[in-house]
Amino acid sequence: MEVWTIQKLLNWITEYLTRQTVDSPRLSAELLLCHVLGFQRIELYTLYDHVVQQPQLGRLHELVKRAGQHEPIGYLVGRCEFYSLPLKVTPDCLIPRPETELLVEKAIDFLRGIKDPSSMLDLCTGSGCIAAAVAKNCKEIRVVATDISEAALAVAAENIKKHDLEKQVTLLCGDLFDPIVAGLDRSPFDLIVSNPPYVSDAEYEKLAPNVKDHEPKTALCGGKDGLDFCRRIVEKCGDFLKSDGALMLEIGFSQGPAVRNQLEETGLFTEIAILQDAARHDRIVVGRR
Ligand SMILES: C[S@@+](CC[C@H](N)C(=O)[O-])C[C@H]1O[C@@H](n2cnc3c(N)ncnc32)[C@H](O)[C@@H]1O
C-alpha cells in the first residue's frame, strides 16, 4: 500500500491544483492539509514525514477534487484570515479580499487621527470583516454594521462573538441605511465605510468560475454600471455623517472618476481622494467633510 507523507501530499496536491489552474496552488494545498489534519501551517514543515492515513486521506481527496473544480478554498475550509484576524466564512458571505484591508487601514488611520472618535457605520458588512477589524483596533469605537442578508449576518455574528466584540459591534438587517433611524436612535457617525456590491453586469459575465459559480450574486452585482449601491450610499450619507465626518467606499478599478463625481455633486465634502491598492488600481474613494 502506498505511504502518503505530508511532504508527498503537499507536492502531489500542488501539482494537481496547478494543472487545474487553481490560484496559489501551494498555499491552497497547505490550507487544505492543515484543515484536514488540524495542524498549523508551520507544523506541515516540522512534521514533513508524518504519514497521513484514512479517514483523513479520504476527506482530503474529496476536498482536493472540489478545489480542482474551482470551489473557493475559503469555503472548503470554512475560514480565512483578514487583517490578521481569523474569520469564519460560508457560501452565504463573500470571502474577504486582501484589497479590502486597505479600506480598514484608512478607516483606522482616520479614527485615530480625529478628536474623540466614537462611532462608525459599516454598510454591506457580509462576514463582518471590516467591522471586526476596525473594532479590534479602535477599542473606543462603537460600530453599527448592516447587511440585507440574514444568512451573511449570522456569519458576521459568529465572527463578532469569536473576537469578543459583541459590546462594540451591533449588527442590523436591512437595505443599506434602512435599519438605522437617523437622529432618533443613532447620533451621526464619525465614519461611514462600505465595500458594496460593485461588479457591473458586463463584468459579472466574465468573472472567474471560483467567484461567479460560488460566491453570492447579491454580494457582487451593483447593477448595469456596478454603481447602484455607491450612488445610493453617497446620496444618503449626509443624513448619517457628522459635520466633520468621512465616507470611505471600496470601488472597482475603473469606477474612481464616476464615484468622485457623485461625491462632488453632493457638495458635502471638502476633500475627495482616490486611493490605489498594491496593484496600483483605484480601490478606495475617501470623502472628508
Ligand atoms: C461585496 S460584499 C462585501 C462584504 C464584506 N463587507 C467584505 O468586504 O468582504 C457586499 C455585501 O453587501 C450585501 N448587500 C447586498 N445588497 C444589500 C443591500 N441592499 N443592503 C445592505 N447590504 C446589501 C451583501 O449581502 C454582501 O454581504
Side-chain angles (χ1 to χ4, degrees), residues 196 227-234 249-251 259 262:
L227 291 173
D228 285 1
F229 289 90
C230 281
R231 253 188 298 275
R232 290 176 55 210
I233 293 170
V234 172
L249 298 174
E250 182 169 325
I251 54 164
V259 181
Q262 291 172 9

Side-chain angles (χ1 to χ4, degrees), residues 102-122:
L102 178 64
L103 180 60
V104 170
E105 191 186 312
K106 296 300 163 191
I108 294 170
D109 283 352
F110 173 78
L111 291 167
R112 287 185 179 159
I114 59 173
K115 200 165 170 285
D116 301 328
S118 64
S119 60
M120 181 184 92
L121 172 61
D122 172 26

Side-chain angles (χ1 to χ4, degrees), residues 13-278:
I13 299 169
T14 305
E15 279 168 31
Y16 175 74
L17 296 181
T18 305
R19 282 200 304 279
Q20 299 302 113
T21 64
V22 170
D23 286 345
S24 313
R26 179 76 180 189
L27 175 64
S28 301
E30 290 177 352
L31 293 173
L32 291 174
L33 259 167
C34 284
H35 176 65
V36 168
L37 300 177
F39 282 8
Q40 301 293 318
R41 259 171 88 197
I42 183 73
E43 292 176 292
L44 297 179
Y45 295 92
T46 54
L47 298 168
Y48 229 41
D49 296 324
H50 172 86
V51 176
V52 181
Q53 292 175 331
Q54 296 295 355
Q56 289 171 320
L57 266 186
R59 176 92 186 104
L60 190 62
H61 184 262
E62 188 217 320
L63 292 178
V64 171
K65 191 169 143 204
R66 286 167 62 186
Q69 290 162 347
H70 297 274
E71 216 168 311
I73 303 295
Y75 292 153
L76 291 175
V77 303
R79 66 186 295 276
C80 71
E81 187 130 332
F82 180 80
Y83 214 77
S84 300
L85 291 180
L87 296 177
K88 174 176 175 161
V89 287
T90 75
D92 289 320
C93 62
L94 192 91
I95 299 171
R97 305 295 202 264
E99 299 89 282
T100 307
E101 293 180 333
L102 178 64
L103 180 60
V104 170
E105 191 186 312
K106 296 300 163 191
I108 294 170
D109 283 352
F110 173 78
L111 291 167
R112 287 185 179 159
I114 59 173
K115 200 165 170 285
D116 301 328
S118 64
S119 60
M120 181 184 92
L121 172 61
D122 172 26
L123 298 167
C124 304
T125 196
S127 62
C129 57
I130 300 171
V134 174
K136 198 81 195 164
N137 287 280
C138 300
K139 287 284 171 211
E140 69 287 13
I141 296 293
R142 308 285 298 213
V143 178
V144 176
T146 75
D147 201 286
I148 201 146
S149 160
E150 290 209 21
L153 282 175
V155 178
E158 284 194 51
N159 285 324
I160 296 305
K161 185 161 185 228
K162 180 188 174 96
H163 292 290
D164 207 14
L165 296 168
E166 289 150 299
K167 288 201 180 109
Q168 247 183 297
V169 181
T170 305
L171 299 170
L172 299 173
C173 190
D175 183 15
L176 297 183
F177 297 95
D178 276 4
I180 302 152
V181 182
L184 183 62
D185 56 355
R186 306 277 161 191
S187 46
F189 295 93
D190 291 295
L191 174 64
I192 299 177
V193 296
S194 183
N195 173 18
Y198 59 72
V199 174
S200 70
D201 289 349
E203 284 165 341
Y204 181 73
E205 292 312 318
K206 290 189 240 143
L207 285 178
N210 62 328
V211 179
K212 186 165 181 238
D213 299 343
H214 297 282
E215 298 202 83
K217 194 172 179 186
T218 45
L220 296 165
C221 292
K224 194 168 185 316
D225 62 357
L227 291 173
D228 285 1
F229 289 90
C230 281
R231 253 188 298 275
R232 290 176 55 210
I233 293 170
V234 172
E235 270 166 20
K236 267 198 134 179
C237 68
D239 297 345
F240 297 86
L241 211 46
K242 283 188 184 165
S243 56
D244 56 353
L247 172 70
M248 298 187 185
L249 298 174
E250 182 169 325
I251 54 164
F253 70 93
S254 62
Q255 296 172 339
V259 181
R260 176 191 280 277
N261 278 345
Q262 291 172 9
L263 263 69
E264 278 170 359
E265 278 169 18
T266 64
L268 284 175
F269 301 99
T270 53
E271 233 182 278
I272 300 170
I274 297 175
L275 311 178
Q276 295 189 324
D277 61 20

